[in-house]
Amino acid sequence: MDIVYIKELEIQTVIGIYDWEREIRQTISMDLDMATDIRSAAATEDINKTLDYKAVSKRLIAFIEEAEFLLIETMAEEVAAIVLAEFPVNWLRLRLGKPGAVTGARDVGVIIERGERPDRLPGF
């Protein structure tokens, strides 16, 4: 199995449990590793035969910018569900971070894996 990835995608959204957080937009940072098979796309150079990372990014940016969440955990579950339902992905690893949320830490957040993990993942 192969991995198509998106690293350090930054999106502005409403996220947090505190009243002041509900009144502002904050940056979340996302890394997404998606298991797919790229062989057909590589052999034909046909974008329609691969996982289009730009399409995935645009879909998630639109969703997250319009959504409002109390917990980053809820956002992570919904993002994972969208990717698995709408794109040719069997497994994903998602990191969602809230940079600057904790004084002294560069970033905090969650990492989740969803879907059926392939037996063979490059670099894992």
Side-chain angles (χ1 to χ4, degrees), residues 1-6 32-39 50-52 56 83-84 87-94 113-122 124:
M1 190 56 52
D2 309 303
I3 298 291
V4 171
Y5 69 90
I6 300 166
L32 186 57
D33 297 316
M34 301 166 284
T36 191
D37 189 336
I38 67 165
R39 289 176 290 190
T50 193
L51 175 59
D52 183 350
V56 174
V83 173
L84 290 170
F87 297 95
V89 172
N90 298 324
W91 171 89
L92 62 83
R93 175 180 290 144
L94 170 67
E113 292 185 20
R114 295 296 178 267
E116 190 159 331
R117 186 182 177 104
D119 292 335
R120 181 180 55 83
L121 285 174
F124 290 88

Side-chain angles (χ1 to χ4, degrees), residues 18 20-21 26-27 72 97-109:
Y18 299 110
W20 66 267
E21 290 181 299
Q26 298 181 69
T27 300
I72 201 161
K98 247 178 107 174
V102 173
T103 302
R106 186 171 47 133
D107 196 13
V108 296

Side-chain angles (χ1 to χ4, degrees), residues 17 19 52 74 77:
I17 60 170
D19 290 342
D52 183 350
T74 307
E77 289 293 344

Side-chain angles (χ1 to χ4, degrees), residues 4-75:
V4 171
Y5 69 90
I6 300 166
K7 295 290 183 217
E8 298 181 23
L9 181 63
E10 293 186 344
I11 307 167
Q12 296 288 313
T13 192
V14 175
I15 180 81
I17 60 170
Y18 299 110
D19 290 342
W20 66 267
E21 290 181 299
R22 311 303 303 154
E23 298 173 7
I24 64 168
R25 297 183 76 72
Q26 298 181 69
T27 300
I28 62 101
S29 174
M30 176 188 308
D31 292 340
L32 186 57
D33 297 316
M34 301 166 284
T36 191
D37 189 336
I38 67 165
R39 289 176 290 190
S40 180
T44 62
E45 295 210 33
D46 182 351
I47 188 71
N48 296 312
K49 294 184 178 183
T50 193
L51 175 59
D52 183 350
Y53 50 79
K54 185 173 182 177
V56 174
S57 298
K58 287 176 73 171
R59 173 66 172 101
L60 296 179
I61 290 167
F63 171 71
I64 292 170
E65 283 181 341
E66 291 186 20
E68 294 185 8
F69 293 98
L70 295 173
L71 297 176
I72 201 161
E73 291 85 349
T74 307
M75 181 189 295

